[in-house]
Amino acid sequence: VNYEKLRKHVSIYDKNRAAAKKERSENS
Amino acid sequence: GEAINALENFLNTYIPDHLILGMTIDTILQLIRGSASGSPLTIPLVYIYFFYTDQIIMNDLIDKNELFVRYRDEAFITWNHSEQQLSSLFSIAKSRFPEVKWHISSIDYPIHFVDIKVGHNTGHLFTGVYHQEMFYNDFLSSELNQLQNPNENIWNWLRKALLKAVRYCCDSVMFHSETGEIQRELLRRGHSEHIFDEALDEFYEDFGV
């Protein structure tokens, strides 16, 4: 398994989740 | 006094109209002053104070190439200069923030920072997932399993454990060691190896590797 690629994709996933959470809290 | 100043800065920065429930910031500070000790406000007040001291420490005292992390009242820094320079750094920090009590630990042996294992191999920092020893104590395991795994299915538990492994481990060697820990933990809970293999494949597939 390409660990660096896995880390990069998890990092993108975390950033997207944080952005979605921020957007939800701003809308509420 | 320093904490109140920090709170005032914080409120002025983050409350655009300078009002909370119709109260001005001056009123809020008057209500808090002299009564914060031991109240539920104490801890948030301390964190707001640290929020500003962190910025001073990061901007003025610690090199941009170093790592500075704080969680609650614990902080972790890396240092690539001499021990003498490090001791000067602590002297400056202590004189600038005399009200903070400092307890300093080095990572000559691996330590844990919250649930992250931190250590070094001949000066190269490594990180991984910290497992509390008591989790392996069979005497406590049934209670701890309930605490660690409340109303969750095993697939969720595995996904969370694998995500944590990727986030915490510094390289593929640590990551593979952590997947081994997860697998052993799963077997210890009476699940089959097949579940682990399937969850791992699914996890890799989800993240495109």
Side-chain angles (χ1 to χ4, degrees):
Chain A
V1 168
N2 183 337
Y3 182 61
E4 285 312 312
K5 192 174 172 187
L6 178 63
R7 283 191 81 162
K8 196 174 152 192
H9 288 188
V10 168
S11 166
I12 294 167
Y13 165 80
D14 285 341
K15 280 179 188 158
N16 289 341
R17 258 171 43 130
K21 195 176 168 186
K22 195 178 169 200
E23 200 180 318
R24 276 199 306 275
S25 74
E26 280 168 1
N27 290 339
S28 65
Chain B
E2 292 286 332
I4 295 290
N5 289 341
L7 177 65
E8 193 166 9
N9 275 338
F10 187 84
L11 295 175
N12 279 323
T13 309
Y14 293 100
I15 298 170
D17 57 4
H18 302 278
L19 290 171
I20 299 177
L21 300 172
M23 282 192 292
T24 64
I25 287 170
D26 287 345
T27 315
I28 295 160
L29 289 169
Q30 278 169 24
L31 287 170
I32 288 168
R33 202 183 285 270
S35 65
S37 178
S39 83
L41 275 172
T42 308
I43 297 299
L45 204 57
V46 168
Y47 294 161
I48 290 167
Y49 173 68
F50 278 147
F51 175 70
Y52 288 102
T53 56
D54 284 353
Q55 289 174 14
I56 294 168
I57 291 170
M58 279 193 291
N59 294 337
D60 299 355
L61 303 179
I62 295 181
D63 199 295
K64 293 283 176 288
N65 293 323
E66 303 289 359
L67 187 66
F68 175 89
V69 191
R70 185 179 61 75
Y71 177 71
R72 299 195 169 168
D73 60 352
E74 284 191 273
F76 177 82
I77 63 163
T78 56
W79 192 253
N80 284 292
H81 305 286
S82 70
E83 278 188 39
Q84 199 184 347
Q85 284 169 304
L86 182 63
S87 47
S88 320
L89 169 83
F90 284 125
S91 304
I92 298 167
K94 282 175 187 173
S95 66
R96 285 182 77 163
F97 309 109
E99 58 288 337
V100 177
K101 298 273 179 276
W102 303 76
H103 300 281
I104 299 159
S105 312
S106 74
I107 54 167
D108 292 340
Y109 295 101
I111 59 160
H112 71 99
F113 179 73
V114 197
D115 58 349
I116 304 171
K117 182 165 66 181
V118 188
H120 75 93
N121 281 328
T122 56
H124 292 278
L125 182 75
F126 69 76
T127 57
V129 179
Y130 173 71
H131 296 273
Q132 277 179 290
E133 272 177 28
M134 63 176 182
F135 288 173
Y136 296 112
N137 184 334
D138 286 339
F139 180 71
L140 293 169
S141 63
S142 60
E143 287 83 0
L144 284 163
N145 278 349
Q146 284 170 8
L147 288 174
Q148 276 193 304
N149 198 10
N151 308 320
E152 270 192 72
N153 70 42
I154 200 68
W155 299 98
N156 280 343
W157 180 85
L158 270 168
R159 190 178 163 83
K160 282 181 184 173
L162 290 168
L163 277 169
K164 188 172 177 173
V166 177
R167 289 172 183 138
Y168 287 19
C169 293
C170 60
D171 58 27
S172 62
V173 175
M174 290 296 279
F175 176 70
H176 286 298
S177 151
E178 180 54 24
T179 54
E181 290 279 350
I182 296 168
Q183 189 178 25
R184 278 190 289 280
E185 182 65 20
L186 195 72
L187 296 175
R188 210 174 61 82
R189 286 160 187 255
H191 297 281
S192 75
E193 210 161 305
H194 174 69
I195 291 180
F196 175 79
D197 292 342
E198 210 176 309
L200 191 63
D201 282 347
E202 196 177 293
F203 182 74
Y204 286 155
E205 204 174 306
D206 277 357
F207 288 98
V209 296

